[in-house]
Amino acid sequence: MDEEYDVIVLGTGLKECILSGLLSVDRLKVLHMDRNDYYGGESASLNLNQLWEKFRGSSKPPPELGSSRDYNVDMVPKFMMANGALVRVLIHTDVTKYLYFKAVDGSYVYNKGKIHKVPATDIEALKSPLMGLFEKRRARKFFIYVQNYEDDDLKTHEGLDLTRATSKELFEKFGLDDNTIDFIGHALALHRDDRYLNEPALETLRKVKLYSESLARFQSGSPYIYPLYGLGELPQAFARLSAVYGGTYMLSKPDCILEFDEEGKVRGVTSEGETARAKKVVCDPSYVRNKVKKVGKVVRAICIMSHPIPNTNDSQSVQIILPQKQLGRKSDMYVFCCSYSHNVAPKGKYIAFVSTEAETDMPEAELEPGLSLLGPVEETFFDVYDRYEPVNDPSLDNVFISKSYDPTTHFETTVQDVLAMYTRITGKLLDLSVDLSAASAAEE
């Protein structure tokens, strides 16, 4: 350990593992350490015994739930957009050869007390019970505009400058009502609250376009894919990648202490009396409590069931988004469900998660609207954790800190954080213009 590295990475959470892999592919000399004896950190996948140990202490899971090792329960469950940035990173780094993906069956939105399939194309808009006849026609025109829009072809802009016009103005141009705006903004563009309405519309349009292109990719009921055996496979795949390119991994390294020089710049990490030297350190917030601030709290319910979520067309895997306005909240709620079809539970068992940003001092009660959609549940575990963001300036101390995981059940915000950190560490943008067909072989 007593040697010099380009970068030391602390924690084997998903973000840290992706960065470790990307930096290793760039031929940087990387040392990756974790205080735990397992990969994944906050984003690990647990078997049934580990789940019980974490939430119930000494008791044992009931035998009728099946074999412990048939479970892979994500602590931070998230689906991937089929054409999204994470899939591009997987292809860019060739990590797809370590993983197998399967399409997710359904994508739904909560509206007026019911759940509906999310329409994402002009044809789906015409069939959707979410809208009345005239609204369907307006929505269809909006989707055609999105599908035809090209940045460098002014004819497709129809007189709008989307770098200046707000999302609200774009929706007004098509005369869309509040209900339609709600599902487009939250279930397609995946905005987490309504601040986006007053921001330039181009970002929203690109997100809706990404959703519909991802939906077309595998011709399934949703734009999402998810790895077989759960997300715990991802950190390990990136760890393998880093090792292939010469990265060094050390688990069970307690008390990793950052060492700084007299100018306040990091110069290495000490653990068990040994110091590894490096000019840059990447870590999650738990390693540097004095350089982060609390920005919120996530509450999540983990539920084991013996049936698919009702009203989702018997989907074996599904995401439901409950927009904030539908619940009278400041932030959205998310339902995520997968099952034996993705090898995360024994046959006939389903794992559902309900998550949101806690807004009161009774966070578990806040999940009721999402939990009420699940039907009978055999076991429920509640997880509440604080969300942190860095407050340091990496240009001054060379410490690059990831943000805590938010309650979303998709990867778009996670990857944005990773790519921004990559640029701050290396000073360059990651080129994600890849041949997306390279991932389709791994899809099934």
Side-chain angles (χ1 to χ4, degrees), residues 272-343:
E272 299 178 302
E274 292 183 303
T275 301
R277 297 181 304 284
K279 292 191 174 62
K280 293 179 180 177
V281 169
V282 175
C283 61
D284 69 49
S286 70
Y287 285 88
V288 280
R289 289 288 188 220
N290 61 330
K291 291 180 182 284
V292 296
K293 66 172 181 184
K294 183 180 160 185
V295 292
K297 195 186 275 280
V298 174
V299 56
R300 182 177 287 115
I302 305 163
C303 304
I304 300 176
M305 318 187 298
S306 294
H307 58 86
I309 295 177
N311 307 310
T312 60
N313 199 24
D314 288 341
S315 295
Q316 306 290 297
S317 50
V318 68
Q319 175 177 264
I320 307 167
I321 292 180
L322 293 77
Q324 54 165 107
K325 200 182 281 180
Q326 299 290 328
L327 306 175
R329 293 173 51 82
K330 297 190 197 81
S331 52
D332 291 358
M333 191 171 294
Y334 302 86
V335 176
F336 171 112
C337 180
C338 55
S339 65
Y340 58 92
S341 73
H342 277 91
N343 299 357

Side-chain angles (χ1 to χ4, degrees), residues 93-315:
T93 53
D94 211 17
V95 167
T96 43
K97 67 184 175 203
Y98 303 124
L99 297 160
Y100 289 95
F101 295 98
K102 198 170 172 200
V104 171
D105 292 344
S107 175
Y108 286 77
V109 64
Y110 180 85
N111 184 277
K112 295 180 180 169
K114 292 185 174 174
I115 54 178
H116 301 270
K117 188 172 183 321
V118 179
T121 63
D122 56 317
I123 294 153
E124 288 198 331
L126 288 175
K127 294 180 188 165
S128 176
L130 269 169
M131 299 171 282
L133 181 62
F134 295 112
E135 186 65 9
K136 283 179 178 176
R137 289 180 187 163
R138 291 190 285 268
R140 178 172 181 264
K141 283 182 179 160
F142 171 79
F143 286 126
I144 290 171
Y145 175 78
V146 170
Q147 282 155 9
N148 292 340
Y149 186 94
E150 298 293 340
D151 285 346
D152 49 8
D153 182 355
L154 288 176
K155 285 204 298 290
T156 67
H157 297 192
E158 295 185 18
L160 280 179
D161 178 357
L162 297 190
T163 59
R164 294 219 172 121
T166 63
S167 297
K168 190 173 182 211
E169 288 164 345
L170 174 62
F171 293 141
E172 281 170 357
K173 174 181 161 67
F174 290 93
L176 300 178
D177 70 21
D178 283 354
N179 254 341
T180 308
I181 291 169
D182 220 22
F183 81 73
I184 289 173
H186 292 261
L188 275 79
L190 302 178
H191 291 295
R192 293 169 55 203
D193 53 46
D194 277 343
R195 280 179 299 198
Y196 80 95
L197 286 168
N198 300 312
E199 292 166 0
L202 188 57
E203 178 71 4
T204 295
L205 177 131
R206 283 181 175 154
K207 288 179 164 195
V208 175
K209 206 174 171 74
L210 170 64
Y211 189 103
S212 57
E213 286 169 354
S214 296
L215 187 67
R217 176 95 183 278
F218 294 129
Q219 305 289 312
S220 66
S222 86
Y224 301 108
I225 58 174
Y226 181 73
L228 295 180
Y229 303 102
L231 291 180
E233 295 294 295
L234 273 174
Q236 294 189 54
F238 278 102
R240 268 184 232 140
L241 172 79
S242 179
V244 165
Y245 283 92
T248 305
Y249 271 75
M250 296 180 182
L251 297 178
S252 302
K253 295 300 279 186
D255 306 322
C256 293
I257 296 158
L258 278 66
E259 307 284 354
F260 295 88
D261 64 19
E262 54 281 359
E263 291 175 10
K265 289 190 182 298
V266 77
R267 60 183 176 84
V269 175
T270 298
S271 173
E272 299 178 302
E274 292 183 303
T275 301
R277 297 181 304 284
K279 292 191 174 62
K280 293 179 180 177
V281 169
V282 175
C283 61
D284 69 49
S286 70
Y287 285 88
V288 280
R289 289 288 188 220
N290 61 330
K291 291 180 182 284
V292 296
K293 66 172 181 184
K294 183 180 160 185
V295 292
K297 195 186 275 280
V298 174
V299 56
R300 182 177 287 115
I302 305 163
C303 304
I304 300 176
M305 318 187 298
S306 294
H307 58 86
I309 295 177
N311 307 310
T312 60
N313 199 24
D314 288 341
S315 295

